[in-house]
Amino acid sequence: MEVPEVFRFPFEPYPIQLDFMKNLYQCIEQGKLGIFESPTGTGKSLSLICGTLSWLTDHDQHKKLQLEQKLNILKKADELEVTSKPSANELGEPRWFTLATKNVRNSHEQRRIMSELNKILWQEERIKKLKQRVQNISSNALNNSESELHVFAANTKKYQTSELVTLEDDDMLIKDDSDEELPVEEPCEEMLDDTKIIFASRTHSQISQFVREVKKSPFGDGIRLISLASRQQLCINEDITSLKNSTLMNERCLEMQKNRSSSTSKTDDGRPLKKAKKSSCPFRDHKRIQLLRDISVTEVADIESLILSGKKQNACPYYAARTAISDAQLIVVPYATLLKKNTRESCGLKLHNNVIIIDEAHNLLDAISSLHTICIWGHQISQVHWQLLQYHQRYNACLSAKNVLPIKQLLFFLSCLMKSLGMHGKPSEHNHQVGLEVECKGDEKMYECSKFCVEAGFDHINIHALVEFCEKTKLPQKLLNFKPVTAEVTPIGAFKTFIGKLQSDRVQKDCAPIGETDWKGTSLMPILEFMRCLRNSDQDGRVLCVKKVLPSGGYLKYLLLNPGALFKDFVNEPRAVIVAGGTMQPNSEFRFQLFGAAGSAQSRIMTFSCDHIIPPDHVLPLVLTRGPSNKELDFSWANRSNLLDELANFLSNINQVVSGGVVCFLPSYDFERQVFEHWIRNNYISKLENRKKLFREPKEAKDVEHVLSEYARSIRQFTNPSSKCGKNGAMLLCVVGGKLSEGINFSDDLARCVIVVGLPYANSQAATLKEKIDYLDNNTASFLPEGEVRSPGQIYYESLCFKAVNQSIGRAIRHSKDYAVLILADHRYSRPNSISSLPGWIARHLKVSANFGPSLASIRKFLSMRKQVEADALKIGTQENALSGGKTDNTTYSHSESSL
C-alpha cells in the first residue's frame, strides 16, 4: 500500500506530526522494527493513534479488495479454459487431464479465498449485530430492578459468608494424572486470524490517558478497543479484592470457579470420608459477562469505565475483557501483561501477524529485566521448607510413589538454598573451589546459573521436571491453604526468623528491583519463579547470593543480563514492532541490546526522530563549563564536594534573572542532602530565598502532591505584579531519576529554567552493574557499528546516565507556545559523545559557554524577549476578542497538554 499524504486527525497536524504518521505507516507496511522518538508535548500519542489506525483501516479494506480481485481472476480463468480449444501441453499430456488438474487447483484456491471472505463478512455482520443489540437494550433492561438488586446483594453476601471455600484433606492431596481436576481457567474464545494493534504502556494511568486520546480522535466512534488488566485492577468481588495481594486474589478467584456440588464419599463400612462444598463467584454469570463484553467492544472504554459497567451489569470485567479480545481491533495492555510470556499466553494474546506498539519505551530494557528478575529471602525459603515438610509428613501415606519423589526432591532443593545462605549446617565442601564465583564486596557472591547449582549441591536434580510437577499438581495453591499442625514457623527458631524478616523488610525496598511482584501468599510462588529462571541460558543471567549476620535476612536474586533473549518472540512473530518515547536517545541499546540480541538484522530496524513542536527560538539550551568565580564545573564524585559554594552562587545568580519557576536536578539523593546541609551551615539558604522560595523533593511519595501544589502556589503568588515581597518565583531541588524526574509536567511559569547539575553516573563498582558491563563486553561487541571506539559496556554505562538526564530535561516545554532555558552545568556535557546522546532538538541548538557572565546575559536577553513576545500576543488576543464581541474559540481539542 502507498503511504497516504493526508491522515484523519482531529485538527490540522503540524508538519512533524505528519512526518511521524507517514514514517509510522511505512514502518508497519514494510514489517520493520521501529524506534520512534517524539518529544513530550508534540502530540506523540495522537500521532501514534491516527497513524496506526489509518494503516489498520486501509489494510483491512485492501485485504478484502485483494481477495475479491483474486476470486474474479480465478473465475475468469475458468471461463477461458472452457472456451479454449483442446490441445496437448508441453509434456504431451491429454487436454482433458491438464484441464481437470487446473480445475481442481483453481477450485481449491477459490474455496480458500471464499472461506477468507466469508470470515470477513461474518465478522462485519457480527459486529453490526452486536452494536445493534447494545443500542436496542433499553435502560430498564440494562439496570436491575430494585427487587433484583436486593436478590443479587443477598446472593453475593451468601457467597461471601456461608459458602466460602473450605478445603478438606481431599482438596489438599496431590492426585495422580487420572484423578487430577481439569484447569479452572476458562479458555478464551479463539481469536480470528485478523491483524490487531496491541498497545502497551508502563502504568494504568498512562493507559487510561491513551484511551481518552483514542476517544478524542476521529477513530473514536468506530474502533473496537479493549483494555486488559490484572484481577487486582478489574475484580469487583469484595471477597477477593479485600485480599489486596495479587497472588492471593488469583488463587481465591480460581478456587471460587470450581463450582463443586456438595458430595460425600464413604468408606466400606459406610462412614463419611470426605466432603466438598459448592463455591462460586456471583459475578461469573455467563450471560451477563457476554453482555458486558458486547458493551465493551462497541464502546471505547478505559479500565475505570469497564469496572463501572461491570458493577452496573453485575458481571466480571476481568473475564469480559478477556473474551472480547477476539473481536477487538486495538488491545491496550500494561507492560507486564505483554512482556511476560506466561501472562500473555494465559490472557490469549497472540503476537503472530499483529502490530506491537510499546510506548514510553525509554526504559524498556530495564522493564524487561525487572519483570524477569526475582528475589527470594531466607525467611521465605525457611517458611516454605517447614510447610512442605509438614505437608509431606501428613499426607505421605496417601501419596503415590511418583508424587512423593518430587516432593522429597523439592525439600532437598530448599535445604540446599538454605545452606547457600548459611541458614543451617556448614557450607558445602565445594564452597571454596577456585573460579566458581565472582567475588563481590562483603558477603555477596555472583554465580553463573549452572555453577550456582553445583555450588549449592542440587546440580543432579532435574529443575525442569520439578517446575512442571509444581505447575501440574498446583502445589503452590495447595500449600497456600495448608496449615501445619505445629505452631513453630521455621526450624531455626521463631525469634530468629522474626528478626530476619524485619531485617529483610527494611532492606527489601533498596534491594528488590522495580516492578518486582509483592509475594505475600505462600512463599513457594517466588521460589517457583526462581526455579524457572535457573532454566535460562548461563550467559543470559546470574545468581546473586547475599548473606547477612542473621541468615534469614539474606537473599538470593536472579539477575537477567540479556533482555534481548526474551524479546525473540517479538522480533520473529509480529508483523511489526514499534518502540516509542519522548526521549529515546541514545538509541544504540535498542538497536543492539534489544533488536540485535533478539536476532534481528540491522537492515530491518528503522529509526525516526523529530524536532520539538516549538520554534527554535523558544528554547535556550546551554552547557556551562565554569561558574561565577571561574571555577571549572566538574561535579564528578571525587570533586563535587569542592563546588558546594560555587553551586550556591551559581543558583543565586540564576534566580536573579529568571522569573517564575526554576527546577534544579542534582545527581543523587546523597549529594542533594550534602548540598542542603552545607547551605544551612553557611547561610546560603536565606541568600537563595531572597528571590525564590526554596522547595525540596520529598522523601515519601505520598508527600509529592503537596510539595508540587505549594511550589505552584508560590510561583503564582510571587510572579503576580501586585506582589511586593521581593521574590520572583520558587526553586525546586530534585534528583535525577527520582520521584519528580518522570511523569511531571512543569509547563509555562512552573519551569522557565531547568538545570541539570553534573552527570548522574551509576556506581561502576556495584556488583550487578559490573556483571552487566562484563556481559555486554564479552557478548555484544559484534553488534557495534564500524568506527565505534567505545566498548559495549561503556556505551551502556553512558546511556544509563543520559537516559535519566534526557528525562529530566523533558519536564519543561510541554506545548507549542511554551519556552524555557535548559542549563547543563558540567564541563563534561561539552564532549562530542555527550552532545550526541542528547535529544536532537536540543543537541542541534546547544551552545557551549566557557564564561559565566556572558551566559547569564544571554539568559536575561532570551527571557526578556520571550516575555515581550508573550505580552504582545496577549495584547493582540485581547483586541481581537473585543472586536469579536467577547466570543472565544471553544475547540474540543487542544495542542497543549495538562500540567500541574
Side-chain angles (χ1 to χ4, degrees):
M1 295 186 299
E2 294 290 333
V3 178
E5 293 296 324
V6 179
F7 288 82
R8 294 170 62 189
F9 214 69
F11 49 80
E12 185 68 27
Y14 291 110
I16 61 170
Q17 292 172 327
L18 189 58
D19 288 344
F20 185 101
M21 290 185 287
K22 285 182 177 180
N23 280 272
L24 180 64
Y25 193 105
Q26 180 183 357
C27 180
I28 299 173
E29 177 61 22
Q30 295 179 356
K32 290 185 175 292
L33 307 173
I35 305 171
F36 280 68
E37 180 184 50
S38 181
T40 303
T42 57
K44 169 173 61 69
S45 297
L46 197 58
S47 299
L48 280 171
I49 291 167
C50 294
T52 306
L53 295 184
S54 292
W55 176 87
L56 183 64
T57 303
D58 293 348
H59 171 76
D60 290 344
Q61 294 175 352
H62 183 70
K63 180 180 177 181
K64 183 178 178 181
L65 181 62
Q66 273 192 325
L67 291 173
E68 291 173 346
Q69 289 175 345
K70 286 181 180 179
L71 187 62
N72 291 333
I73 290 172
L74 290 172
K75 288 181 178 179
K76 289 180 180 179
D78 284 345
E79 294 174 359
L80 290 174
E81 290 292 342
V82 172
T83 58
S84 61
K85 295 181 179 180
S87 62
N89 62 13
E90 296 178 356
L91 298 177
E93 295 173 339
R95 172 62 183 168
W96 66 268
F97 180 81
T98 304
L99 187 61
T101 303
K102 288 184 177 180
N103 284 340
V104 170
R105 189 184 303 116
N106 285 351
S107 297
H108 177 75
E109 184 66 11
Q110 286 184 41
R111 284 196 299 271
R112 186 190 66 81
I113 294 174
M114 283 297 299
S115 176
E116 291 291 322
L117 279 173
N118 289 335
K119 284 182 180 180
I120 294 173
L121 296 173
W122 177 84
Q123 177 75 347
E124 291 175 352
E125 186 65 25
R126 182 171 182 274
I127 296 301
K128 287 180 182 179
K129 289 181 179 179
L130 285 181
K131 291 181 178 180
Q132 190 64 41
R133 179 190 173 196
V134 172
Q135 290 175 357
N136 290 340
I137 296 176
S138 64
S139 58
N140 290 333
L142 284 171
N143 296 310
N144 291 307
S145 64
E146 289 296 323
S147 59
E148 289 176 325
L149 286 174
H150 285 307
V151 170
F152 182 81
N155 290 338
T156 303
K157 185 176 180 181
K158 179 181 177 183
Y159 281 117
Q160 293 176 349
T161 55
S162 62
E163 293 194 305
L164 295 180
V165 176
T166 303
L167 296 181
E168 309 263 342
D169 282 353
D170 184 62
D171 300 291
M172 302 302 303
L173 194 61
I174 294 177
K175 303 172 185 177
D176 292 334
D177 294 343
S178 58
D179 299 327
E180 191 63 40
E181 295 178 9
L182 295 174
V184 294
E185 285 272 20
E186 292 185 3
C188 298
E189 294 180 10
E190 185 179 355
M191 295 171 62
L192 295 176
D193 191 20
D194 56 346
T195 301
K196 302 179 186 297
I197 309 295
I198 301 177
F199 176 90
S201 195
R202 289 188 304 150
T203 65
H204 290 287
S205 61
Q206 290 170 342
I207 288 174
S208 296
Q209 175 64 28
F210 178 82
V211 174
R212 288 193 290 270
E213 295 288 322
V214 174
K215 285 182 179 179
K216 296 176 184 177
S217 76
F219 300 89
D221 293 333
I223 192 68
R224 303 191 299 277
L225 179 149
I226 192 66
S227 299
L228 298 184
S230 64
R231 285 185 177 91
Q232 203 165 15
Q233 275 74 40
L234 288 177
C235 182
I236 58 175
N237 188 331
E238 292 182 1
D239 183 41
I240 296 176
T241 57
S242 61
L243 299 174
K244 305 298 183 184
N245 176 260
S246 59
T247 304
L248 297 177
M249 291 175 66
N250 289 337
E251 303 302 341
R252 178 70 180 124
C253 178
L254 297 179
E255 289 295 339
M256 293 185 75
Q257 292 177 44
K258 290 186 176 180
N259 289 322
R260 298 185 299 271
S261 58
S262 297
S263 61
T264 303
S265 299
K266 297 183 179 181
T267 59
D268 294 336
D269 57 0
R271 291 179 300 162
L273 180 62
K274 57 184 179 180
K275 185 175 182 179
K277 295 186 179 181
K278 181 181 177 181
S279 175
S280 177
C281 175
F283 300 98
R284 288 283 281 122
D285 182 82
H286 182 66
K287 290 183 178 179
R288 292 181 183 273
I289 288 177
Q290 279 189 325
L291 176 58
L292 181 58
R293 177 201 63 188
D294 296 346
I295 294 173
S296 64
V297 167
T298 55
E299 300 175 2
V300 175
D302 56 14
I303 293 173
E304 290 77 13
S305 301
L306 186 59
I307 291 173
L308 289 175
S309 297
K311 291 180 178 178
K312 189 175 181 181
Q313 304 300 327
N314 296 322
C316 178
Y318 176 75
Y319 283 102
R322 290 179 59 168
T323 55
I325 290 176
S326 59
D327 292 323
Q329 295 171 296
L330 175 58
I331 305 168
V332 186
V333 298
Y335 273 10
T337 303
L338 179 66
L339 298 177
K340 294 200 75 171
K341 187 173 183 178
N342 290 342
T343 308
R344 183 172 70 243
E345 291 178 347
S346 69
C347 289
L349 273 182
K350 296 181 180 179
L351 301 179
H352 178 69
N353 201 36
N354 290 330
V355 177
I356 311 299
I357 298 178
I358 303 177
D359 197 15
E360 300 297 331
H362 55 276
N363 284 327
L364 177 59
L365 276 85
D366 295 335
I368 296 174
S369 297
S370 296
L371 286 169
H372 297 87
T373 293
I374 185 68
C375 181
I376 54 176
W377 298 84
H379 70 85
Q380 290 178 309
I381 302 170
S382 178
Q383 175 190 353
V384 74
H385 180 270
W386 184 247
Q387 193 177 24
L388 186 61
L389 185 63
Q390 291 290 304
Y391 177 89
H392 175 252
Q393 291 174 354
R394 179 182 296 184
Y395 298 112
N396 183 46
C398 304
L399 296 172
S400 64
K402 69 176 182 179
N403 288 331
V404 170
L405 179 60
I407 290 178
K408 288 184 176 180
Q409 289 178 332
L410 186 56
L411 283 168
F412 178 76
F413 171 79
L414 294 170
S415 66
C416 290
L417 295 185
M418 293 165 65
K419 288 179 182 179
S420 69
L421 293 173
M423 293 187 66
H424 62 115
K426 296 181 179 180
S428 170
E429 60 182 4
H430 303 290
N431 276 358
H432 304 289
Q433 291 185 15
V434 179
L436 288 187
E437 72 278 333
V438 180
E439 293 291 343
C440 303
K441 65 176 184 177
D443 293 315
E444 296 183 356
K445 290 182 181 179
M446 192 78 73
Y447 300 88
E448 292 182 357
C449 290
S450 61
K451 292 177 180 177
F452 174 74
C453 295
V454 173
E455 188 75 3
F458 57 83
D459 53 300
H460 60 287
I461 293 180
N462 188 338
I463 298 294
H464 294 268
L466 211 52
V467 170
E468 290 178 2
F469 170 79
C470 292
E471 292 173 342
K472 187 176 181 180
T473 61
K474 300 184 179 65
L475 185 59
Q477 291 93 315
K478 296 181 187 302
L479 289 185
L480 179 68
N481 297 283
F482 174 73
K483 295 180 176 59
V485 177
T486 178
E488 185 181 3
V489 179
T490 71
I492 65 170
F495 177 73
K496 286 185 178 181
T497 302
F498 172 72
I499 297 298
K501 187 176 186 304
L502 291 180
Q503 183 187 29
S504 70
D505 289 343
R506 186 175 64 251
V507 300
Q508 191 167 4
K509 290 182 180 180
D510 298 327
C511 297
I514 297 172
E516 183 177 316
T517 308
D518 179 21
W519 304 96
K520 293 184 180 177
T522 170
S523 297
L524 187 57
M525 295 300 293
I527 292 170
L528 186 58
E529 194 67 29
F530 183 77
M531 294 167 68
R532 292 190 185 103
C533 292
L534 291 178
R535 300 185 299 180
N536 293 342
S537 171
D538 258 6
Q539 65 178 5
D540 292 338
R542 296 290 185 272
V543 176
L544 175 65
C545 177
V546 179
K547 298 180 182 180
K548 298 290 183 180
V549 176
L550 290 171
S552 58
Y555 60 89
L556 297 167
K557 180 188 286 188
Y558 176 82
L559 305 169
L560 180 66
L561 300 180
N562 181 19
L566 300 179
F567 207 72
K568 289 181 180 179
D569 289 345
F570 290 86
V571 169
N572 298 328
E573 296 184 26
R575 177 190 180 98
V577 177
I578 291 93
V579 293
T583 52
M584 299 295 285
Q585 294 294 336
N587 65 26
S588 57
E589 67 174 25
F590 296 102
R591 297 184 66 93
F592 306 121
Q593 295 179 42
L594 186 66
F595 294 135
S600 169
Q602 292 297 306
S603 59
R604 192 188 170 196
I605 301 173
M606 173 181 177
T607 60
F608 174 83
S609 179
C610 63
D611 267 339
H612 206 291
I613 205 168
I614 61 169
D617 60 352
H618 278 225
V619 60
L620 179 62
L622 295 171
V623 173
L624 299 186
T625 61
R626 294 189 177 273
S629 61
N630 207 34
K631 284 186 177 181
E632 185 178 58
L633 297 181
D634 180 7
F635 287 95
S636 59
W637 185 85
N639 193 58
R640 62 179 58 166
S641 299
N642 301 324
L643 293 174
L644 300 182
D645 294 326
E646 190 74 2
L647 179 59
N649 293 326
F650 166 80
L651 294 177
S652 180
N653 279 275
I654 295 295
N655 287 349
Q656 294 293 326
V657 300
V658 178
S659 177
V662 173
V663 182
C664 178
F665 287 95
L666 299 172
S668 67
Y669 284 104
D670 285 340
F671 185 58
E672 192 271 346
R673 177 183 51 79
Q674 182 183 359
V675 165
F676 198 79
E677 290 176 354
H678 178 81
W679 289 355
I680 291 176
R681 288 194 303 268
N682 294 274
N683 202 30
Y684 283 116
I685 298 295
S686 58
K687 183 180 179 181
L688 289 167
E689 289 201 327
N690 283 336
R691 296 294 288 167
K692 294 189 185 296
K693 186 172 177 59
L694 188 61
F695 293 87
R696 299 174 68 188
E697 180 176 317
K699 295 180 180 179
E700 301 292 335
K702 61 183 177 63
D703 298 326
V704 167
E705 188 171 347
H706 173 72
V707 170
L708 292 178
S709 298
E710 288 299 307
Y711 171 72
R713 187 185 63 80
S714 297
I715 291 173
R716 288 193 297 268
Q717 175 186 347
F718 297 135
T719 55
N720 192 321
S722 62
S723 176
K724 299 180 180 180
C725 62
K727 290 183 172 62
N728 65 356
M731 172 179 278
L732 179 60
L733 295 181
C734 307
V735 176
V736 177
K739 305 175 188 68
L740 304 181
S741 63
E742 290 191 41
I744 306 296
N745 296 350
F746 292 108
S747 64
D748 301 315
D749 281 341
L750 294 173
R752 288 305 179 200
C753 180
V754 173
I755 304 168
V756 181
V757 177
L759 281 83
Y761 284 112
N763 179 10
S764 60
Q765 299 305 309
T768 55
L769 183 57
K770 284 181 65 177
E771 198 67 29
K772 177 75 172 181
I773 291 174
D774 290 343
Y775 167 80
L776 293 173
D777 287 341
N778 296 330
N779 295 278
T780 63
S782 60
F783 295 135
L784 293 180
E786 293 183 8
E788 178 60 66
V789 296
R790 295 173 298 170
S791 68
Q794 185 180 357
I795 294 173
Y796 171 75
Y797 185 61
E798 292 180 2
S799 70
L800 284 178
C801 170
F802 279 94
K803 280 194 299 182
V805 169
N806 294 340
Q807 278 297 304
S808 300
I809 293 173
R811 297 312 93 212
I813 308 184
R814 310 297 291 188
H815 57 85
S816 60
K817 297 181 180 179
D818 206 353
Y819 63 91
V821 178
L822 306 178
I823 299 176
L824 304 174
D826 197 298
H827 76 95
R828 293 172 291 173
Y829 282 109
S830 62
R831 298 171 180 170
N833 285 339
S834 298
I835 295 175
S836 65
S837 297
L838 296 170
W841 65 278
I842 293 177
R844 281 188 284 271
H845 307 291
L846 190 67
K847 298 178 181 179
V848 179
S849 177
N851 297 304
F852 184 78
S855 299
L856 197 65
S858 65
I859 294 172
R860 188 194 303 271
K861 180 180 178 181
F862 169 81
L863 293 174
S864 176
M865 179 187 68
R866 296 312 319 164
K867 279 284 186 183
Q868 185 61 46
V869 171
E870 193 176 43
D872 292 344
L874 181 62
K875 183 177 179 180
I876 294 173
T878 303
Q879 292 173 351
E880 290 177 350
N881 187 37
L883 292 174
S884 63
K887 295 181 180 180
T888 58
D889 181 20
N890 296 319
T891 57
T892 59
Y893 204 96
S894 172
H895 285 282
S896 63
E897 296 185 12
S898 61
S899 63
L900 294 176

